Amino acid sequence: GAKQGSIMSFFKKP
Amino acid sequence: MLEPRLVQTTFFKNVLEALSDLFIEAHFEFSRTGLELQAIDTSRVALVALVLRAEAFNHYLCDRGLSMGLNLADMAKAFRCANNDDIITIKAEEDWTDTVTFTFESPEDGEILEFDFDFVGSNGVPLEIPEYQESEYQAIVRMPSAKFMRICKKLSSFGDSGDRDPVVIISVYKERVRSFARGKTGTSTTVCLQTQTVDKPKEPTLIEMKEEVSLIFDLKYMNSFSKASTLSDQVTINLSSELPAVFECKIAELGYIRYYISPRKE
């Protein structure tokens, strides 16, 4: 299956 | 000195028990408007966000912001020692030392319990989380949290697949949602159809599908969320192969707890 990326890549540091 | 006071001991006990399996450290932010908590798991696949507005507390006072990283397992242990009707006071010094004091006061027993927690790192959180629109998801499933918990329990029956972490495949197609788990000695499947019956109008299972979607999740994330879902009557699951999946339970219009899980296509 596809590799699971880091959840952090979807969100920005404020 | 910053000193929020609150009385939701039972609520926090439940939150900490639910989160401390999966998340080691969390970022807590108390402000005038309420509490925001964020934590990310060590494999950086799931992020939990808890928002609880000040009105959610029977008594909440916070003159100035207070934010810190804390160890969730230590906090869960401390909260286990507290009575359900204790008043909690959270104190941090103005000169910003690196500890925070939680005081549990039992008015009935005349007992005061005090814990000092050292600040810890919070593993990359807090992060800025955009509000995704419902239309951005391929499918949205709403169901009673009791039903969600039953499903997770069934999926765990064959959940131990030995060397690898057990996974669950959630697929939405033809107004039905199928959950599938493969273990060492068998598989487990549940299929839920949309329901909205007259005798249980408050407990419908609703499935909105724009297109078919199938995603893989580690069972441990589902199990952790199912524990947190006891805090609400209903859960909402937003699925997309391009966005983080969101498992949400709303807390009586006064906040929410959301698990964001990085997508993994089947």
Side-chain angles (χ1 to χ4, degrees), chain B residues 130-140 210 238-240 243 246:
Chain B
E131 277 293 329
Y132 296 112
Q133 301 298 308
E134 290 199 349
S135 59
E136 291 179 81
Y137 289 94
Q138 284 154 288
I140 299 173
K210 263 196 347 197
N238 296 8
L239 300 170
S240 158
L243 294 175
V246 188

Side-chain angles (χ1 to χ4, degrees), chain B residues 32-195:
Chain B
R32 282 194 183 91
T33 55
L35 165 67
E36 288 185 37
L37 177 154
Q38 273 190 27
I40 208 156
D41 78 303
T42 43
S43 51
R44 303 201 161 204
V45 166
L47 179 145
V48 62
L50 165 78
V51 168
L52 210 53
R53 288 194 278 283
E55 306 85 75
F57 299 93
N58 296 129
H59 183 77
Y60 181 93
L61 261 182
C62 184
D63 291 340
R64 281 182 50 193
L66 171 60
S67 70
M68 60 212 146
L70 294 174
N71 181 293
L72 289 173
D74 289 349
M75 289 193 73
K77 275 182 217 152
F79 271 74
R80 268 178 231 151
C81 303
N83 298 306
N84 289 346
D85 54 356
D86 282 1
I87 300 164
I88 313 167
T89 309
I90 305 159
K91 282 185 203 166
E93 296 299 330
E94 200 89 51
D95 60 8
W96 213 240
T97 49
D98 49 5
T99 59
V100 62
T101 307
F102 277 62
T103 308
F104 299 91
E105 203 181 319
S106 168
E108 244 174 70
D109 304 342
E111 230 174 67
I112 297 169
L113 196 62
E114 210 172 270
F115 291 97
D116 284 335
F117 297 105
D118 292 344
F119 292 165
V120 294
S122 47
N123 203 11
V125 287
L127 293 167
E128 208 172 281
I129 303 169
E131 277 293 329
Y132 296 112
Q133 301 298 308
E134 290 199 349
S135 59
E136 291 179 81
Y137 289 94
Q138 284 154 288
I140 299 173
V141 180
R142 292 183 175 85
M143 68 171 74
S145 43
K147 188 172 185 172
F148 182 77
M149 277 186 270
R150 280 201 306 274
I151 293 173
C152 289
K153 212 174 165 189
K154 282 172 199 160
L155 293 172
S156 304
S157 350
F158 293 105
D160 187 7
S161 58
D163 50 344
R164 274 185 304 169
D165 279 343
V167 293
V168 176
I169 302 173
I170 299 183
S171 315
V172 182
Y173 61 99
K174 292 184 199 157
E175 269 69 52
R176 57 186 61 191
V177 51
R178 177 177 174 271
S179 315
F180 170 86
R182 181 190 295 281
K184 216 174 186 176
T185 54
T187 64
S188 163
T189 307
T190 36
V191 176
C192 289
L193 308 178
Q194 175 145 304
T195 61

Side-chain angles (χ1 to χ4, degrees), chain B residues 142 144 147 193-207 234:
Chain B
R142 292 183 175 85
K147 188 172 185 172
L193 308 178
Q194 175 145 304
T195 61
Q196 198 161 24
T197 51
V198 183
D199 54 323
K200 284 184 179 175
K202 283 183 186 162
E203 298 170 23
T205 298
L206 301 171
I207 302 165
Q234 260 229 323

Side-chain angles (χ1 to χ4, degrees), chain A residues 2 4-8 10-14, chain B residues 40 44-45 124 126-128 242 244 262 264:
Chain A
Q4 192 160 22
S6 164
I7 190 71
M8 296 177 90
F10 291 95
F11 308 128
K12 280 186 294 190
K13 269 266 162 207
Chain B
I40 208 156
R44 303 201 161 204
V45 166
L127 293 167
E128 208 172 281
E242 307 300 329
S262 185
R264 188 161 126 183

Side-chain angles (χ1 to χ4, degrees), chain B residues 8 11-12 14-15 19 35 37 48-57 145 225 227-236 247-259:
Chain B
Q8 262 71 358
F11 175 84
F12 281 104
N14 294 339
V15 168
L19 299 187
L35 165 67
L37 177 154
V48 62
L50 165 78
V51 168
L52 210 53
R53 288 194 278 283
E55 306 85 75
F57 299 93
S145 43
F225 177 71
K227 279 193 204 169
S229 71
T230 53
L231 302 166
S232 175
D233 294 339
Q234 260 229 323
V235 301
T236 304
F247 292 74
E248 178 187 65
C249 64
K250 282 207 169 66
I251 301 157
E253 307 298 317
L254 293 165
Y256 57 79
I257 185 158
R258 284 181 193 156
Y259 278 56

